[in-house]
Structures are given as C-alpha cells and as structure tokens.
C-alpha cells in the first residue's frame, strides 16, 4: 500500500509508529512546511494521502480541490470521522493489534448503529445494552473498554472507608438517576458485592435498558428498580430528553427543540416509609439527576436525619439556583454534613482536600458559572461528627 504524507503538525511519526501497519506500507513522500513539493501531490502512484493538520482544514480542502485529488484518496489522519468515512483504508492501513484498535472499535460501533436500534458491549466482565442513539455513555464504554464512571465509584468507596465506619457485608446502595445501570451494576458486581441496590430511573426507555442489563448480569435478586423520578414532593413533571445522550435527560430544560416525556415524581422519604428498606441499612447514596439533585436531597431529609450516609452527588449550583433552591439545599446539608471533597480534584492529584459545606456557595459565580470545578462537579459529603483528615 502506497501512501503520501502531508505533515503540517509534526505528528505523523507518532501515528505511523503506533497506529499503522508500518511494515506493510510504502511511504512515497513526506511533505512538511519546510519541504513542499507539488510534484509529490500530483503523483498518481499513491493509494492514500494522509494529511496531518489541526485548524486549517479549509486551506487543505482548497489545495486538494485545486490539484484535483479525489476525496476517496484523502484522509485527515488526526480526524476520526475522516477515517470512518474510509472504512477500506482502516482495514488496509490501521494496525488492529496496536493503538489503532480503537479506530476499529469506532468503525464496528458505527456499523452496529447502522444496522440495529441497540448496541451491546462487555467491559470488565459486565455486559450492557443501550439504545443506538446514545453517543456518550455507551460510546465511551465501547471504545475505551472501561465501565462508565468506574474511577468515580472507586473514589467514592475509598473515601467512604476513610471517613465512615461502613460495613459492606449487607445493606443497600441507592442509585438515584440510574440510567441504564452503569453505576448500580458495577458497584454491586465489583466494589461491594454483598450489597443490594435500589435504583430509580424515570425515563421509560432507559428503564427498559436498566432492567435488561440487570438480567444480563444475573443481578435480578440484588436489585429493586423503580420507573419513577425523585424530588422534593410528589406529583407530575415534564422531563426533557437529550437526543444523543439519554443519560442527560432532565427535568431542567437545557436547550430548544427537545422532546418531552411526562413522568411521576415522589420523595425518597415517602418511598422508604412504604418499603422494607430502613434508613440505617443504607450504606451508599449516589445522586446524579442532571440538575435536579437539590430537589432529591430535599425529599430525603428524613433519611439523612436518621442516617447521614455517605453521599456522592453531582453538584450543579447553576441549575439549583435557577430553580430557587441553592441556598435552601446548602442550609439543609449544613445540618447533617460538615465538609465535602471535590472528586475531580481528588482523582487528579491523589490528595484529599476538604472544604466546609458553607464553601459550596463560593463555587458559583452568576457571570461565569462554576469557578472551582471547571464545569459540573461531583462531590463527596462527609457527615458531621466524622474525623476530618486531609491527606
């Protein structure tokens, strides 16, 4: 296979060494910013022109059109979508046993989505099925072969062991905003296999995938799943659906032209009062409800009054303030929890830094959004009376 390289980024050597079948290729020329030979581009005896560029696409498109180089021979080597539009080139050029394996996975995923409404994958011994519309959670797991948010879950478990005297031999993890089950299933399979999981997912399609994934992993005896949402009070709400990320469906409207689904909402306290799950048996609480977390917290005050269990929560002050509940929830948390840890900071540095609950107000700026988190931030809550240690 003959290839010509147009390298304006200096990255071609890395791609050649790690992604391509270098022993099977004949490189007829490498064009650099310092050495540009139009005769090379006009040569007829190469199969593909690999262009390495970033941010100058229009310039290269104009040049290749002027030189009448067929599109079928042009691959923008740093652009995955360009590779996927040349599937024959992937099979001819890409090394499936090296780092190029990810390109193959992208190709297989793309093909799967063309011929099926559903996508399946197995990561770390756990199998999942999801709608083909999901371009976020399932894509990441399919390509990277890692469970979604696995690092966050292990961090949650490690911090819980450090600050709480939790016994994992029995009890419950609460998965509030379960989506297709990537949290509850992974936690009960890999982290705390003696626990059971109570999972809430209001979206009908996500709920179907959640039940299917529980069955796929032989966990039906360990799960209670409810097709209902949680909030500060019972009633009906409109949920807005994210067309490419079903895990981003939310009662908080983030954009225009979003489809809608009417869902039922209850409080967690009212649900637990009518169930056989007792507050003292709750060992872990995971809350990710896409901006509606504050209302979920308000509706579970009886639970955290009786058992201020470890909580991992997506902190979304912009949405909470928009709903008029930010200060109310911070005051509520301040009654039962003394400090919090930013999960992203912990994972990036490997060090523990604790912040007083009152500091949550400091991470919101009305003009720039979140200051300290660099975006939405997951936090770990430490109950009052715990020994506060930084490490």
């Amino acid at each position: 296979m003959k290839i010509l390289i147009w390298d304006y980024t200096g990255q071609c050597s890395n791609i050649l060494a790690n992604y391509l079948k270098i022993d099977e290729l004949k490189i007829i020329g490498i064009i650099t910013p310092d050495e540009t030979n139009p005769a090379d581009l006009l040569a007829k005896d190469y199969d593909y022109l690999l262009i390495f560029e970033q941010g100058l696409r229009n310039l290269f498109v104009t040049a290749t059109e002027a030189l009448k180089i067929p599109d079928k021979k042009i691959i923008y080597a740093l652009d995955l979508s360009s590779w996927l539009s040349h599937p024959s080139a992937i099979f001819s050029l890409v090394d499936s046993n090296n780092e190029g394996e990810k390109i193959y996975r992208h190709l297989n995923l793309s093909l799967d989505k063309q011929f099926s409404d559903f996508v399946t994958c197995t990561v770390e011994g756990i199998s999942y099925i999801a709608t083909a519309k999901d371009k976020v959670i399932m894509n990441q797991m399919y390509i990277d072969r890692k469970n979604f948010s696995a690092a966050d879950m292990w961090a949650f478990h490690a911090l819980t062991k450090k600050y709480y005297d939790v016994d994992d031999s029995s009890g419950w993890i609460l998965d509030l905003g379960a989506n297709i089950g990537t949290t509850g299933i992974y936690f009960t399979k890999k982290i705390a296999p003696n626990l059971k999981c109570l999972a809430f997912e209001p979206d009908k399609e996500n709920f179907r995938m959640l039940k299917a994934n529980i069955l796929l992993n032989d966990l039906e005896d360990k799960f209670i799943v409810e097709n209902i949402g949680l909030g500060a009070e019972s009633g009906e709400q409109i949920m807005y659906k994210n067309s490419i990320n079903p895990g981003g469906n939310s009662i908080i409207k983030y954009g225009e032209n979003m489809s809608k689904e009417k869902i039922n909402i209850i409080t967690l306290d009212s649900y637990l009062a009518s169930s056989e799950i007792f507050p003292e048996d709750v060992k872990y609480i995971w809350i990710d409800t896409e901006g509606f977390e504050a209302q979920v917290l308000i509706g579970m005050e009886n639970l955290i009054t009786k058992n201020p269990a470890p909580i991992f929560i997506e902190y979304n002050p912009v949405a909470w303030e928009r709903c008029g509940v930010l200060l109310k929830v911070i005051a509520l948390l301040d009654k039962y929890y003394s400090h919090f840890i930013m999960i992203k900071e912990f994972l990036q540095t490997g060090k523990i830094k604790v912040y007083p609950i009152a500091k949550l107000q400091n991470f919101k700026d009305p003009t720039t959004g979140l200051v300290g988190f660099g975006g939405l931030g997951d936090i770990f809550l430490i109950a009052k009376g715990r020994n506060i240690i930084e490490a």
Side-chain angles (χ1 to χ4, degrees), residues 59-295:
L59 172 64
F60 288 94
V61 169
T62 300
T64 53
E65 286 179 348
L67 294 168
K68 298 182 179 179
I69 301 173
D71 288 341
K72 65 182 180 180
K73 295 179 69 171
I74 301 170
I75 300 173
Y76 290 91
L78 303 179
D79 182 356
L80 177 63
S81 62
S82 183
W83 281 105
L84 295 182
S85 65
H86 295 81
S88 61
I90 293 176
F91 292 113
S92 301
L93 304 177
V94 176
D95 185 353
S96 62
N97 296 315
N98 207 329
E99 292 184 29
E101 182 184 354
K102 284 192 176 183
I103 296 179
Y104 272 88
R105 290 180 196 161
H106 275 286
L107 177 63
N108 290 331
L109 178 60
S110 178
L111 292 173
D112 285 349
K113 289 187 174 186
Q114 286 183 37
F115 296 105
S116 175
D117 291 332
F118 303 97
V119 177
T120 62
C121 75
T122 299
V123 291
E124 301 182 59
I126 300 175
S127 297
Y128 295 104
I129 183 170
T131 171
K133 293 180 291 187
D134 183 356
K135 295 182 180 180
V136 179
I137 292 175
M138 199 60 166
N139 275 34
Q140 180 176 318
M141 293 198 299
Y142 194 107
I143 303 305
D144 293 339
R145 293 296 191 260
K146 295 178 182 178
N147 198 94
F148 193 79
S149 294
D152 292 335
M153 284 182 270
W154 282 109
F156 182 25
H157 184 258
L159 292 171
T160 296
K161 290 298 183 181
K162 185 173 184 66
Y163 290 101
Y164 294 80
D165 52 350
V166 168
D167 176 8
D168 288 348
S169 63
S170 64
W172 294 84
I173 174 176
L174 307 188
D175 188 4
L176 314 182
N179 192 25
I180 65 171
T182 54
T183 298
I185 290 173
Y186 187 87
F187 213 95
T188 52
K189 272 280 190 180
K190 298 289 185 179
I191 299 178
N194 293 318
L195 297 186
K196 293 185 177 182
C197 181
L198 171 63
F200 291 83
E201 175 51 51
D203 179 85
K204 290 183 174 60
E205 187 171 35
N206 285 345
F207 184 72
R208 286 165 47 214
M209 299 297 102
L210 170 62
K211 291 198 297 182
N213 289 328
I214 290 169
L215 290 171
L216 279 174
N217 292 285
D218 299 319
L219 289 172
E220 55 268 36
D221 294 335
K222 287 197 167 188
F223 268 76
I224 294 176
V225 293
E226 300 292 349
N227 184 204
I228 197 166
L230 296 173
E233 56 188 24
S234 300
E236 288 187 339
Q237 291 274 5
I238 297 297
M239 183 172 64
Y240 297 91
K241 308 191 69 153
N242 188 314
S243 61
I244 64 171
N245 177 21
N249 295 347
S250 176
I251 291 173
I252 311 299
K253 188 177 181 182
Y254 287 109
E256 300 301 323
N257 302 317
M258 301 178 74
S259 61
K260 304 175 185 177
E261 179 179 326
K262 186 177 290 187
I263 62 171
N264 292 317
I265 296 286
I266 61 171
T267 68
L268 182 59
D269 283 340
S270 65
Y271 179 89
L272 293 179
S274 62
S275 75
E276 297 183 358
I277 298 175
F278 303 104
E280 58 268 25
D281 292 328
V282 174
K283 304 297 178 67
Y284 300 87
I285 304 172
W286 179 285
I287 311 175
D288 183 355
T289 51
E290 299 301 313
F292 209 62
E293 296 83 6
Q295 289 84 347

Side-chain angles (χ1 to χ4, degrees), residues 31-82:
I31 303 170
T32 68
D34 298 324
E35 298 181 16
T36 301
N37 187 351
D40 288 336
L41 290 168
L42 293 171
K44 304 298 183 183
D45 60 343
Y46 59 84
D47 298 289
Y48 293 102
L49 168 62
L50 301 188
I51 301 178
F52 291 78
E53 63 81 29
Q54 288 179 326
L56 299 171
R57 181 67 59 88
N58 290 339
L59 172 64
F60 288 94
V61 169
T62 300
T64 53
E65 286 179 348
L67 294 168
K68 298 182 179 179
I69 301 173
D71 288 341
K72 65 182 180 180
K73 295 179 69 171
I74 301 170
I75 300 173
Y76 290 91
L78 303 179
D79 182 356
L80 177 63
S81 62
S82 183

Side-chain angles (χ1 to χ4, degrees), residues 265-339:
I265 296 286
I266 61 171
T267 68
L268 182 59
D269 283 340
S270 65
Y271 179 89
L272 293 179
S274 62
S275 75
E276 297 183 358
I277 298 175
F278 303 104
E280 58 268 25
D281 292 328
V282 174
K283 304 297 178 67
Y284 300 87
I285 304 172
W286 179 285
I287 311 175
D288 183 355
T289 51
E290 299 301 313
F292 209 62
E293 296 83 6
Q295 289 84 347
V296 174
L297 282 168
I298 293 169
M300 56 185 276
E301 183 172 7
N302 184 61
L303 167 61
I304 59 176
T305 299
K306 296 179 178 179
N307 177 21
I311 295 178
F312 179 108
I313 184 169
E314 185 173 51
Y315 179 57
N316 195 333
V318 176
W320 298 4
E321 185 174 63
R322 182 173 154 190
C323 295
V325 293
L326 176 62
L327 296 181
K328 179 179 181 179
V329 170
I330 292 175
L332 171 66
L333 289 177
D334 195 44
K335 290 168 63 177
Y336 306 102
Y337 294 86
S338 63
H339 292 79

